[in-house]
Amino acid sequence: MEINKSSSIIIILLVFVSNLTHAKAYHDLHCGTKGTRCHGKNIKCPDECPNSEASDPKAKVCHIDCNKPICKAVCRHRKPNCNAPGSGCYDPRFIGGDGRVFYFHGKSNEHFTLVSDSNLQINARFIGHRPSGRARDYTWIQALGILINSQTFSLEATKTAQWDENVDRLKLTHNGNNVVLAEGSLSTWYSLEKDVKVERIASKNSVIVTLKDVAEILVNVVPVTKEDDRIHNYQVPFDDCFAHLEVQFRFFALSPKVDGVLGRTYRLDFENPAKVGVAMPVVGGEDSYRTTSLLSPNCASCVFSQGSSFEKETPQVVQYGTLDCTEFSYGLGIVCKK
């Protein structure tokens, strides 16, 4: 009888310790990004979002920005925030690393470099059309092409005449091979070296692409809706709803020489040409950032080199964790304060 009682006490203690261990893993995130302010620290998640994953795509999850001056976790949605720095949405409207809103129209069926750094390049394919009487193309981002060291990765929204939210419109490739990512939230794919990760955050059309120690890309596939067409008079043709990408980039490390339509806005010496107070501040640069294909490393201002590595660039990275981008300026942009 005494043996049974002792055994019961031991079992209870083991369960208690196990639960404590599980709770710690559940509520803490480890900051493993090299060269950041909070590297090596375990950070407690808020009670309202204790986990970094959720099967509900609308739920907030625990997130840490290892470059923040204060090593603190926050709750966030896992789909792109089109009103936050690093985003590219709509026709297409970007918010730069400096927090300023700008539009870059490019041209339909051409490719432009969004980010070019020594170890990373992100190109975009633009789609769209030019209705009769218009001076420019209406354009949207249809695909991203990523070069990271010696690897390539692409993500695109496939063409469809009529949008059906029950059909997945994402096409992924890695080093030229199709990536098979099962439908269903939390379905995950890794590259062989585990340095590229793709995770669904909804059953279809929404993923997060993580480039280890380099960047995180939140992606959502959406159509140009009939309401969008009515408001903006896009004159969308009957056989194409221009399925496109909403994206938000979070960079863990960029060098001082980073360039690209979006990348240049992260440079400390960048002077934004977008006019403050203008409802649609359009910036140019098509000739500087036009590239020949989705996975081409070449453009007039590109600095990407396949021989570079993240480790070589780490001592030279620019720190962005001191920006507070929480205040809006009359709906025309985001004010960021250091």
Side-chain angles (χ1 to χ4, degrees):
M1 194 70 182
E2 284 295 311
I3 294 175
N4 290 337
K5 185 176 180 180
S6 299
S7 299
S8 298
I9 292 172
I10 291 171
I11 291 171
I12 291 171
L13 287 172
L14 288 172
V15 170
F16 180 71
V17 171
S18 175
N19 286 339
L20 282 178
T21 303
H22 176 71
K24 186 178 187 303
Y26 187 70
H27 288 283
D28 287 8
L29 291 181
H30 179 74
C31 200
T33 307
K34 298 177 181 178
T36 57
R37 297 170 187 264
C38 307
H39 177 240
K41 294 186 178 182
N42 291 323
I43 301 173
K44 188 179 186 302
C45 291
D47 291 339
E48 58 268 29
C49 60
N51 206 334
S52 60
E53 296 182 343
S55 57
D56 180 2
K58 296 182 180 180
K60 288 186 177 181
V61 297
C62 181
H63 171 72
I64 54 174
D65 184 342
C66 299
N67 244 340
K68 287 288 185 182
I70 300 176
C71 300
K72 182 180 179 181
V74 297
C75 297
R76 67 160 195 188
H77 291 290
R78 304 193 79 198
K79 288 192 175 182
N81 180 354
C82 291
N83 292 313
S87 62
C89 305
Y90 316 129
D91 174 23
R93 187 196 75 173
F94 294 92
I95 300 181
D98 60 351
R100 296 271 296 276
V101 173
F102 67 94
Y103 289 78
F104 177 86
H105 295 308
K107 192 174 182 181
S108 176
N109 300 316
E110 291 193 0
H111 304 86
F112 299 91
T113 298
L114 301 186
V115 178
S116 184
D117 209 350
S118 57
N119 68 316
L120 172 69
Q121 179 139 327
I122 302 174
N123 298 332
R125 178 188 298 129
F126 285 29
I127 57 168
H129 76 139
R130 182 180 301 188
S132 177
R134 297 292 301 180
R136 67 164 182 87
D137 293 350
Y138 287 120
T139 54
W140 296 269
I141 297 173
Q142 181 265 337
L144 295 178
I146 300 167
L147 296 90
I148 176 168
N149 300 326
S150 59
Q151 299 181 75
T152 62
F153 183 87
S154 69
L155 185 153
E156 62 182 282
T158 59
K159 182 177 179 178
T160 179
Q162 301 295 325
W163 181 256
D164 183 348
E165 63 181 14
N166 295 313
V167 177
D168 189 48
R169 294 292 173 186
L170 275 171
K171 180 181 177 182
L172 312 170
T173 71
H174 179 253
N175 290 340
N177 301 312
N178 289 332
V179 171
V180 178
L181 185 63
E183 292 186 7
S185 59
L186 304 187
S187 173
T188 305
W189 173 91
Y190 288 93
S191 63
L192 187 62
E193 300 296 327
K194 301 288 187 180
D195 52 355
V196 180
K197 174 186 176 183
V198 185
E199 178 189 0
R200 286 195 189 272
I201 52 175
S203 61
K204 302 171 182 69
N205 295 313
S206 295
V207 295
I208 294 179
V209 179
T210 302
L211 311 175
K212 185 179 178 182
D213 292 335
V214 177
E216 181 184 69
I217 308 170
L218 287 69
V219 181
N220 199 33
V221 181
V222 295
V224 176
T225 66
K226 291 182 179 179
E227 182 65 9
D228 293 334
D229 193 17
R230 183 189 68 81
I231 293 173
H232 300 287
N233 192 28
Y234 290 136
Q235 300 178 43
V236 173
F238 72 93
D239 61 345
D240 195 348
C241 68
F242 294 121
H244 62 280
L245 307 180
E246 294 177 335
V247 298
Q248 184 184 4
F249 301 95
R250 293 191 175 98
F251 300 107
F252 305 144
L254 293 171
S255 75
K257 60 184 179 183
V258 63
D259 215 320
V261 173
L262 180 65
R264 58 182 171 171
T265 67
Y266 286 83
R267 293 170 62 154
L268 294 180
D269 61 353
F270 175 67
E271 296 183 7
N272 200 317
K275 294 182 180 179
V276 178
V278 177
M280 287 187 64
V282 178
V283 300
E286 283 85 353
D287 291 341
S288 295
Y289 302 117
R290 182 181 283 106
T291 187
T292 54
S293 68
L294 189 63
L295 294 171
S296 170
N298 301 317
C299 74
S301 296
C302 288
V303 297
F304 175 77
S305 172
Q306 290 184 328
S308 298
S309 67
F310 174 76
E311 287 76 11
K312 293 177 184 176
E313 291 300 318
T314 298
Q316 301 175 350
V317 297
V318 181
Q319 304 289 348
Y320 302 100
T322 56
L323 287 179
D324 175 8
C325 300
T326 56
E327 298 184 19
F328 287 80
S329 177
Y330 307 104
L332 299 179
I334 295 178
V335 177
C336 291
K337 301 182 298 181
K338 289 188 177 182

